[in-house]
Amino acid sequence: MMTDKFVFKFAPDDSEGNASMKELLGGKGANLAEMCGLGIPVPSGFTISTQVCTHYYKNDDTYPAGLEANVEEAIAFVEKKMGADFGSNENPLLLSVRSGARVSMPGMMDTVLNLGLNDEAVEGLAKQTGDKRFAYDAYRRFVQMYGDVVMMVRAETETDHDPFEIELDKMKKARGIETDVELGWEDLKELVATFKKIVSDKAGREFPNNPKEQLWGAIGAVFGSWMNERAVVYRKMNGFSDDWGTAVNVQAMVYGNMGTDCATGVGFTRDAATGENRPNGEFLINAQGEDVVAGIRTGLQLTLNDSLKWAKDSDISEEVRKDKFPSLEEYMPEAFAQLMAIYKNLENHYRDMQDVEFTIQRHKLYMLQTRSGKRTGFAAARIAVDMVDEKIITPQEALLRVEPDHLEHLLKPIFNVDSKKKALNDGRLLTRGLPAGPGAATGRIAFSAGKAATMSVDGMGDVLLVRHETSPEDIKGMKVSKGILTARGGMTSHAAVVARQMGKVCIVGCSTVEIDYKASEMVINGKTFKEGDWLSLDGFAGQVIAGKVETMPSDVQRGLDEGLDPNANDDIYYHYSKLMEWSDEFKRLDVRTNADEPGMALQARKFGAVGIGLCRTEHMFFGGVRIKAIREMILADNVEEREKALAKLLPMQREDFYGIFKAMDGYPVTVRTLDPPLHEFLPHEEEQVAEMAEEMGVPVSKVLHKVRQLSESNPMLGHRGCRLGNVYPEITVMQARAIMEAAVKATKEGFKVFPEIMVPLVGHVNELKRQREIIVNTVEEVLKESGTQLKYMVGTMIELPRAALTADQIATEAEFFSFGTNDLTQTTYGLSRDDAGSFLPFYEENNIFPNDPFQSLDRDGVGQLVKIAAEKARSVKEGMKLGICGEHGGDPSSIEFCHMVGLNYVSCSPPRVPVARLAAAQAALREQKQ
Amino acid sequence: MMTDKFVFKFAPDDSEGNASMKELLGGKGANLAEMCGLGIPVPSGFTISTQVCTHYYKNDDTYPAGLEANVEEAIAFVEKKMGADFGSNENPLLLSVRSGARVSMPGMMDTVLNLGLNDEAVEGLAKQTGDKRFAYDAYRRFVQMYGDVVMMVRAETETDHDPFEIELDKMKKARGIETDVELGWEDLKELVATFKKIVSDKAGREFPNNPKEQLWGAIGAVFGSWMNERAVVYRKMNGFSDDWGTAVNVQAMVYGNMGTDCATGVGFTRDAATGENRPNGEFLINAQGEDVVAGIRTGLQLTLNDSLKWAKDSDISEEVRKDKFPSLEEYMPEAFAQLMAIYKNLENHYRDMQDVEFTIQRHKLYMLQTRSGKRTGFAAARIAVDMVDEKIITPQEALLRVEPDHLEHLLKPIFNVDSKKKALNDGRLLTRGLPAGPGAATGRIAFSAGKAATMSVDGMGDVLLVRHETSPEDIKGMKVSKGILTARGGMTSHAAVVARQMGKVCIVGCSTVEIDYKASEMVINGKTFKEGDWLSLDGFAGQVIAGKVETMPSDVQRGLDEGLDPNANDDIYYHYSKLMEWSDEFKRLDVRTNADEPGMALQARKFGAVGIGLCRTEHMFFGGVRIKAIREMILADNVEEREKALAKLLPMQREDFYGIFKAMDGYPVTVRTLDPPLHEFLPHEEEQVAEMAEEMGVPVSKVLHKVRQLSESNPMLGHRGCRLGNVYPEITVMQARAIMEAAVKATKEGFKVFPEIMVPLVGHVNELKRQREIIVNTVEEVLKESGTQLKYMVGTMIELPRAALTADQIATEAEFFSFGTNDLTQTTYGLSRDDAGSFLPFYEENNIFPNDPFQSLDRDGVGQLVKIAAEKARSVKEGMKLGICGEHGGDPSSIEFCHMVGLNYVSCSPPRVPVARLAAAQAALREQKQ
C-alpha cells in the first residue's frame, strides 16, 4: 500500500520508525529507528522508504511528487539534532548514504560516505577537528567513492586498474613512500584536484560541489544499484523479489578516527562461540569501522577480563598490555559503562544476543548498527536456555532460536583444541573437502574395506577408510572405521549418506586426494601417505590433517554415556538436556531411529529415539560367513538348495534381531525385509569372481554366469524389494521366522518387544498381499510353536509413486506405512542418486532445482505424493500409523512437512535424533503461531 | 435380490427365461431359454438359478425351502413336453445335468449325462431304441460318470489309474480286443455290475438306483464343483467373484448316436475365417457330440458346396464322396433346410454371426447351444461391414464388433498360402517364439546390424536380422531388415518395441535359437544355419520356418499403395475402408504417428495419421558419418570443440527434418530434442573402443576414460533428456536450428509446415524454462535470418511423476504436453523395462499385476498421474493441447482411457494408426452408450 509518507526521520528518543517496519524501511533503517526509540545514542538521520524505490522503477526512474520537500525537512531535522549545517562551510554536516533492503544483501549495493564536502567545507572540517590531514583524507575518499559509485568513473574492464588508484600509486612513487598514511594533507589536497580532473574527463561533467546535488546523486545511485547485475542475480539465486526495493539511509557521519579520544568497534552481547553470558568485542583507537573488520591492526578487547586472557595467551607482559593493548574498560571507562548498559538494554529489548557496531567520537558513544548475532551451535543452545533461566524468553521461543542441525555438533567427538592448533601451526593441514559427516577422527589409513577390518582388530589404533568412493561392499569397512575420506562424490553420495547414518566422521569429494590402490598409497598435494600412516579428519570444517590429532568425546556425549545428572552443572550438557526436555513437551511427531545393530540402537536411545523406524536387514549379510551363505542362496538352482542356504542364515539373523529387540526394550522395531537386488551380494571384478568361485567350490563359469544373469541395466528399478520376496518366497519366510523367533526369545526373557515387519518397494497392492500372507503364516507358525502371544504388525514402505497414488488400495493390506523418501524422490524425479553427480551440481548452481531434493524433501512433487498417500490411507483406515524413514527424516524442513501432513513419526540416523526432536517441536510451535 | 422363484422351465415356445437373464440363469441356461422363446427346437428342461447356489453356500450346503417342489413341478413339465417319464421303466426320461455360470468357465465344473438309468430303465431304453448295446453303453457311461463326479470314486493320486478304466482294460484284455466299440452289450452289462461294486466298496454306500436320488446327487455335485480348487483358482485369475454362483441346467437327453437316422454337428452361420456370408459346419452320422470335437472320425460338410470343395481339395472322386462323405444337404435335406432356417433366425435375432451345436435324433433336429462365434480379424471386419450393408446392424454397432488389434493383421504382408503349406508339409517348421510383430517375412540371415546393412544393398534379396537381443546400436540394421528374430526378450523388449514401431515382422524370446556370433552361425533344434541362409518368419503365429516362403502385400496394403477405389469391389479393402470411414465419423481423438523418417511418415499418412506425435532425433545419429560426429562431440573437452562437432551434424539433421516436413505436408510434426544418455553413442566392448579410437584418431585411453566417465548405475534415471540440453545448451541450439532451417526451406517451397519442438524428461518447470529460452532464441534467430514467418510451438513430454504432479507449473512454460507413458510407467512403478524380464512374467502368471503395464496403461497409477496432469495443465491453460506418444498410444484400452481424460490425440507407430482410429471411435461410442 503506497502512503504519502516517503521519509522517516530518526534521532534518539525522536524516531518515526521501528523494528517492525523492515519491509518499508529495510533492515538497517528499521533497527536504527528502533534503537532511537530506546533512547540509545545513534547519529541522527532519515530513511527514504522502499516505496520510493518501487515508484522509481515503475515510473521511468523518477521520484514521487513531494519527496524533495520531505528530504529537505528531514535534513533540517538532522541539522538540528546534530548541531551542524548541511552545506555550511564552517560547521558542515556530513552524511553517509547507504542502501538497506528488507533482507541483508551484503556488498551488493552502493554506499557513499563523507557526503557534503567541497573545497570550502573541507577547511571547515579541518578547523573543527583541528586535523587537516583527517579532513583532506575524508575529502579524497569522498571524491573517489562518489566518482566511482555515482559518476561511474571506474576501471573499464576487469583487467584494467582503477583510475584513482593509479594516481594514488603514482603519487606514492613520486614521494618515495609506501603507505597511504605517509601522505601529508597537501598531498591529499593535490590528489583531490587530480581525482576531480579524472572525473570531469571521464564522466564529461564536473564533479558536483553543491552538497544537495551530491546528495541527490547519491540517492539516485543507491536506488540504481538495486537493479545492478550482481544484485539481480543475487536475488534470483535467493528467491528474493525485485519488487521489494531498497530503502536509502541518510545519516550524519561520526568519526572514530579524529584522534586518540576516538575509537570504533564491534561486539557481541554474549559469547558467540560458547554462548556464555559474557559481553565482549574488539575495538581500535583512532580508527575507522573498516579497520576493525579488515584486521590490519591488532584489535583491543572491550573488557579487562578478555584483555588479560588475551595477553596471557599471547605471552604479553602486563605492563606492555596495559600500555599498548588496554581494554576499553580501562581506556574509556565511561564510554565502556555506557556501552555495557546499551548491551543490556538491547538484549532485553530484542530478547536475543546482539551483534553491534559502535563509534566513539571524542568520548561520545554512537551506536551504528544492531542485529541478532550469528552464533555456533554450542552458543545457540546455551544462549537460548540461559535466556529462559533469566526469564527473558519462554521455552517455546528458546526452541525456535536454535537451528536443529546445530545440535548434531554438540554430540560429535571433538579435537583437543591445543592438539589441533599445534597441527595447524606445524603446517599439517593437507586439504579440504565437503564436510559430509561432522566430528573429529584420527586414525590409520586403510585403502580397502578388508584392510580396514583387519587393521581394526590389530590393537594398534583406530582406522580411517580412504577410497575413491564407497559402495555397499565397503560397508563392513566403514563400520569398523572412525572416519571416511573419499576423493569423489557429493553430500549425498553413498559414502556421505551411509556415514551420516552410521554417525561416522566423513569428508567426501576431496579431489586433491590421488589414491593408487595397487601401490597402497595416496598423494595429497605432493605428500605421499602409505597404508597405516596416521591421518586426522575434521568433519566440521572438512579439513584433512596429516598425522595424529587428539580427540575426545563431546561433553554432551559424555553426559549421556555416563548417565550424569544434567542439572548438576550449568554446562552444555545441561543446555542440551533442557532443549530436549522442552522439545518433547511441544512436539507432536515421535522420533525414531534407523539402526540395524544393537550398538546403534542403544546410542539412539540415549539420544531419545522411541523406536526403530528402519532396521535394514541387508547390512547384516555382509559378514564373512554370512556373505558366503547368501551367495550360496544366489547360486542355488532350485528352491531346496535356496532353503538350505537360507537355513544357515536363519540363526544369524535371529541373533541380530534378538540383540536389537533387547536394546529397544519397550519400544517398537520396524524391520524391513530384504531390499537390494541380489547382484549386490556378488563380486563384479574378475579376480574377486575367481576368489569367490574357489571359496564356494564351484566353477568360475558358474559364478560368471550368475553375475551376468543378474546384471541389470537399471538396478534401482530392477529385481529388488518385495519383487525378490515374491519370486523367492523362501527368503521372506526365513526373515519373518528369524524376526519372530528373536521376538519370542526376548519376550520370554522379560523384554517388551513390538516387532513391525515392513515390506519394501510395493507398487501394487497384490505385491503386499502376497508378502503379507507369507509373513502372517510364518509368524503364526512361530507363535504356535512357541506357545507365545505377541503383538506384531505388518506394513509397507511407500517409496514408489504408484504406491502413493494407490495408497487407499494398499492400506487395506497394511497396518502401517513408512515413507521411503529416498527412493520416492529418485522415482518421482526420475533421478538416480548415484548418477546425479553429472548434472545436479550444475542444476543447483544455476538454480534450476531450488535445492538438492535428496537433502530436503521436495514439497511440490514428492511431498504432494506423501500428502496424497496419507490422505488416501486414512480415508480407508482412520488414524493409520504413518512414518518416514528416508534420509529426509533427519532434515528439519522435511520434518516440518511431515508434521504438517500429519505423520506419526520420523525416523533418522542416531545422531540426527536430537535434531529431529527439536525440528519436530519447532514445526509444532510454528503451526501454533499461525 | 433373492426371489422365491428358483427354477426356470424352458421348452420351445414355452420358456420362463431369456437371454438377458445371464446373471440368474448362467450363459448356457439363458441362451437355451432364448432359443425356446424363438420357437427353436431345444430339448426341454429347466434351470436351477444361481441364487440357489449362493443360498447353498451361505447356509451350510442346504437348499432354500420350496426348491424341491419347484424341481418336482419342472420335471413334470419336461415329462409332458418330451412324452416320457422320469423314473419309468418302459419309457424313461433321461436327463443331463450341467453347470452354467454367467461367464464361461470351460471344463472347470462338473456334468452328469444319461441320468435316470437303472437296471430296469436300461431295458426300457433298449426296447425303445431297439439297440441293446446303445442302452448298456449309456448305462455304463452313466455309472462311471456319476461314480466319479457325485460319489467321488476316482484315482486317489495323480499317478494312480482311474479304477473304472482299470476294469475296462482288464475286460478288453480278457476278451482279446483293442477298442471299446468291440465290447458287446453283455460285456457292458457285466461292467456296470463291476463298476457298481467298485462304487459301493470305495464310497462305502450303494450306487443309487432311484432316479430322483440320482438327480439330487448330481445337482449337489454341480453346486459343489463351484468351489472346487481349480474353479476357485480360475475365478481368482480372471477376477470373477465367488459370489456369482453357478446355475444347474437339467435337460432331457437327446441322442445323435441311436442309428444312421441320427447325427450331431457344430456350425457357424458365416465363415469364421474369411467372414463370407456362407453358412457352414461339420457333422457326423450316428455319433455323439464329443466325437465331432475330438476329430477321430472325418467330419462331413453341412453344405453340398463345401462338400464338393473338400472332396476336390482331398482328391476324392465324386462317387466316393457322395457315398462315404455326403453333405447334410444331401443326406438329410429336411433337417438341413430346418437348420439353415434356424441359422437365419438366430443371426437375425442375435444380430451377429453364431456358433451352434445341434443333434439330430431319428430325423428330429434339436439345437443344444448357440453363442456369438469367435472369428479372425479378416472375418470380423467383413461380417461387421456386411451386416451394416444388410441393414442388420448400424455402423456404430459394426465398429464395436471389431477388435481394434485385428486391423493390424489386415495390413501385414502375408505368406502365399500354397507356399507356406508346402513348407510345413516338408517339415521346415523349426520352432516358435513370441509373435511380437505380425506379418510374414522371408530373407537371408544376418547376425549383426552391420552385416544386415551390407547385405541389404547387395541385390541378392531381403535380409532378416537374427540376434540374442537388440540394442539401440542395432537400429540401422533393423531398419534395413524385413524381419527380426531374437533369442531373448519378451513382448516389450527393445526388439519388440522398435520392430512394432517400424512395422517390422518380429519374433522374440525364441529360446531354442542358439547363435554363435564368432562362427556366424546358429543352431535351431539341431539344424545349423549360416549367415546368408534363407529363413522365413510368420509374425502372426510366431513360426520360424527354414528356407524361403513366398510373401505378398496384404490386399489392404495394396489398395492403399495403389490408391484403389475402395468401393470398386466387395473385398477386404472395401471393408477396411468402411470401418476407417465410420471410425473417423465417430471418434473425438486425433491419431498421429511416431515416425522419424519420411518413408515411415508417408506410410502412416496412408493409414490415416494426421500428424507426427513423436519424431525421435536420436535414431538419426546412428549412421556412419553421423555417429562419428556425435562421438566427436562427446569426446570434446570444451564448448568450442563441441560446437564444431555439432556443426557437422547440423546439415544432416536439417535434411532429415526437411524430408519429414515434406512428407507431412499440411500436418503438425512434433520433434523431440535429444533424449538418450550420451554413453549410448559410445561402444562398450574393448574391441569396439579400439576401433573407435583408431577411427577418431585419438588414444584408446581417451575413449576409455570417456566411456568410464559417462557410465551410469541407472542410465534410465541419469544424465539424459533435457538434462543434456541444459548442461550442453549447444546441442539444443543445433537441433532447434536444424528443425527451423528445414521448416523454412520447406515453407519456401510451398509446403505447409507446423513444427512442434518437444523437450524430453522435464521434472521441474525451471528445466523447461531454460530449454524454452534457448529454443525460442534460436528459432527467432533463424526466422529473422530467413525473413520468414512461421507458426511453431514449444512443449514438453510429461514422462516423470513430478512433471505430472506439477503440471500446472510446467504448463506456464509449455504450449503443449505429450505424455511419454513408457518412461512414466517405468518411474511410477519403479520398474525398468529392460530388467523386468526377471520377475514380470512371474507377476503376470500369478496375477500380481493384472496386466503388463507397458502394454496397457495402468489406469489406477500411471493413469491417475495423466489425469492429474491434464486437469492441472488446463486449470492454468484452458484447452491446452495434450497428447500421448508412448507405446500405449496404439493400445485400445489405453486409447479409451486417453479419450476419457480428454486428451486431444494419441500417437502410435504407423501400423497401429488404423487400430488407434477404430479404438478411438469405440471409446467415443462406449461413452455415448453410458
Side-chain angles (χ1 to χ4, degrees), chain A residues 448-466:
Chain A
S448 71
K451 193 74 188 169
T454 325
M455 285 166 60
S456 71
V457 292
D458 65 7
M460 294 172 64
D462 292 334
V463 177
L464 302 180
L465 181 64
V466 180

Side-chain angles (χ1 to χ4, degrees), chain A residues 457-614:
Chain A
V457 292
D458 65 7
M460 294 172 64
D462 292 334
V463 177
L464 302 180
L465 181 64
V466 180
R467 301 280 298 166
H468 284 141
E469 54 203 349
T470 64
S471 73
E473 289 185 45
D474 294 321
I475 284 177
K476 59 173 187 221
M478 296 173 77
K479 259 190 195 164
V480 298
S481 302
K482 284 284 161 187
I484 293 107
L485 170 65
T486 72
R488 292 203 282 270
M491 294 294 278
T492 54
S493 61
H494 178 268
V497 170
V498 175
R500 275 200 294 277
Q501 209 228 325
M502 291 180 173
K504 301 283 179 186
V505 176
C506 182
I507 300 177
V508 298
C510 208
S511 54
T512 49
V513 173
E514 297 167 53
I515 310 171
D516 182 342
Y517 285 135
K518 274 193 190 149
S520 283
E521 61 177 44
M522 70 169 166
V523 178
I524 308 183
N525 288 327
K527 286 184 188 147
T528 304
F529 293 82
K530 292 266 171 206
E531 196 141 45
D533 285 352
W534 285 85
L535 197 71
S536 298
L537 304 177
D538 185 333
F540 295 113
Q543 294 166 316
V544 182
I545 300 167
K548 276 192 200 184
V549 178
E550 273 173 47
T551 64
M552 50 193 276
S554 75
D555 293 341
V556 173
Q557 185 68 58
R558 205 161 32 83
L560 294 170
D561 286 347
E562 296 173 13
L564 304 180
D565 174 8
N567 296 308
N569 289 296
D570 172 34
D571 59 6
I572 190 68
Y573 179 46
Y574 162 75
H575 301 109
Y576 164 85
S577 304
K578 271 288 166 201
L579 287 172
M580 289 296 94
E581 181 190 323
W582 295 331
S583 291
D584 289 348
E585 195 175 316
F586 296 108
K587 73 182 168 56
R588 192 173 66 209
L589 283 168
D590 278 345
V591 178
R592 295 194 184 185
T593 193
N594 299 348
D596 46 25
E597 53 164 44
M600 284 173 82
L602 282 174
Q603 177 74 318
R605 275 192 64 178
K606 284 182 204 154
F607 294 151
V610 295
I612 288 183
L614 176 61

Side-chain angles (χ1 to χ4, degrees), chain B residues 235-290:
Chain B
R235 284 197 297 274
K236 206 173 168 185
M237 271 179 52
N238 289 279
F240 302 154
S241 167
D242 286 345
D243 293 341
W244 292 350
T246 182
V248 178
N249 296 296
V250 181
Q251 196 177 11
M253 290 291 300
V254 291
Y255 296 96
N257 59 342
M258 266 189 188
T260 53
D261 53 354
C262 300
T264 191
V266 298
F268 292 93
T269 58
R270 300 190 183 211
D271 191 315
T274 66
E276 283 167 275
N277 190 348
R278 202 180 57 77
N280 62 96
E282 293 193 343
F283 76 105
L284 288 175
I285 299 164
N286 195 13
Q288 286 182 306
E290 57 253 47

Side-chain angles (χ1 to χ4, degrees), chain B residues 545-782:
Chain B
I545 300 168
K548 277 192 200 185
V549 178
E550 275 172 47
T551 64
M552 49 193 275
S554 74
D555 294 339
V556 173
Q557 185 68 58
R558 205 161 34 82
L560 293 170
D561 287 346
E562 298 174 13
L564 304 180
D565 173 10
N567 295 309
N569 290 297
D570 172 35
D571 59 7
I572 190 68
Y573 180 46
Y574 161 75
H575 300 110
Y576 164 84
S577 303
K578 273 286 164 200
L579 288 172
M580 288 296 94
E581 181 190 320
W582 295 331
S583 292
D584 289 349
E585 195 175 318
F586 295 108
K587 74 183 168 53
R588 193 173 66 209
L589 282 167
D590 277 345
V591 178
R592 294 194 184 185
T593 193
N594 300 348
D596 47 25
E597 53 163 47
M600 283 172 84
L602 281 174
Q603 178 73 318
R605 276 191 64 179
K606 283 182 206 155
F607 294 152
V610 295
I612 288 181
L614 175 61
C615 172
R616 297 180 175 91
T617 52
E618 52 270 21
H619 290 172
M620 303 171 179
F621 289 149
F622 280 100
V625 193
R626 296 168 175 221
I627 189 84
K628 203 180 159 194
I630 192 130
R631 283 172 174 179
E632 269 175 42
M633 184 203 79
I634 295 171
L635 289 179
D637 290 321
N638 52 49
V639 181
E640 289 70 35
E641 283 184 34
R642 256 197 307 280
E643 283 178 343
K644 225 170 97 187
L646 286 166
K648 293 186 193 168
L649 284 169
L650 174 66
M652 306 184 219
Q653 283 250 291
R654 185 172 52 218
E655 281 312 294
D656 295 330
F657 297 134
Y658 170 68
I660 289 168
F661 286 141
K662 282 205 305 186
M664 294 307 289
D665 184 21
Y667 293 115
V669 175
T670 306
V671 183
R672 180 176 71 184
T673 53
L674 195 65
D675 185 49
L678 295 181
H679 50 77
E680 279 202 10
F681 299 103
L682 295 182
H684 290 94
E685 279 157 43
E686 248 174 77
E687 209 174 305
Q688 293 170 296
V689 166
E691 229 171 74
M692 170 175 158
E694 165 132 23
E695 204 182 317
M696 316 272 306
V698 298
V700 171
S701 64
K702 176 159 188 169
V703 178
L704 266 182
H705 175 75
K706 199 43 120 172
V707 168
R708 275 198 215 118
Q709 191 189 20
L710 291 183
S711 90
E712 296 185 305
S713 307
N714 296 288
M716 162 72 210
L717 310 176
H719 194 182
R720 52 173 286 237
C722 68
R723 296 163 189 170
L724 288 173
N726 276 326
V727 174
Y728 307 116
E730 51 279 6
I731 299 179
T732 306
V733 168
M734 183 280 282
Q735 293 203 300
R737 177 163 279 277
I739 293 165
M740 287 313 286
E741 287 182 354
V744 164
K745 186 175 168 192
T747 303
K748 285 192 173 163
E749 291 173 12
F751 295 95
K752 284 212 174 65
V753 180
F754 304 100
E756 300 175 340
I757 303 177
M758 180 158 74
V759 177
L761 212 76
V762 164
H764 192 289
V765 60
N766 289 347
E767 295 181 282
L768 178 58
K769 199 173 171 187
R770 278 178 90 98
Q771 284 291 288
R772 186 188 167 77
E773 271 169 25
I774 295 166
I775 292 166
V776 168
N777 288 343
T778 308
V779 167
E780 294 297 334
E781 215 171 84
V782 173

Side-chain angles (χ1 to χ4, degrees), chain B residues 805-872:
Chain B
L805 293 163
T806 61
D808 44 351
Q809 295 172 21
I810 293 175
T812 61
E813 297 288 333
E815 281 148 291
F816 67 90
F817 279 172
S818 178
F819 289 95
T821 48
N822 295 354
D823 277 5
L824 191 59
T825 300
Q826 296 198 81
T827 45
T828 304
Y829 264 93
L831 188 60
S832 159
R833 205 150 67 153
D834 297 327
D835 303 312
S838 50
F839 59 94
L840 201 54
F842 178 90
Y843 267 36
E844 283 188 274
E845 268 161 43
N846 290 276
N847 217 36
I848 298 178
F849 287 172
N851 47 39
D852 179 345
F854 295 116
Q855 293 210 322
S856 191
L857 189 94
D858 156 47
R859 296 187 183 190
D860 282 0
V862 179
Q864 197 180 145
L865 284 177
V866 171
K867 197 158 175 279
I868 288 172
E871 284 166 4
K872 288 199 172 190

Side-chain angles (χ1 to χ4, degrees), chain B residues 10 67 140 222 404 532 601 604 628 653 691 811:
Chain B
F10 59 83
L67 177 68
R140 190 267 305 174
V222 171
K628 203 180 159 194
Q653 283 250 291
E691 229 171 74

Side-chain angles (χ1 to χ4, degrees), chain A residues 50 250 272 305 370 424 471 479 631 674 717:
Chain A
T50 56
V250 180
N305 262 344
T370 189
L424 298 185
S471 73
K479 259 190 195 164
R631 284 172 173 179
L674 194 65
L717 310 176

Side-chain angles (χ1 to χ4, degrees), chain A residues 756-773:
Chain A
E756 301 173 340
I757 303 177
M758 179 158 74
V759 177
L761 211 75
V762 163
H764 191 289
V765 59
N766 289 348
E767 294 180 283
L768 178 59
K769 199 172 172 187
R770 276 179 92 98
Q771 284 293 288
R772 185 186 167 79
E773 271 170 24

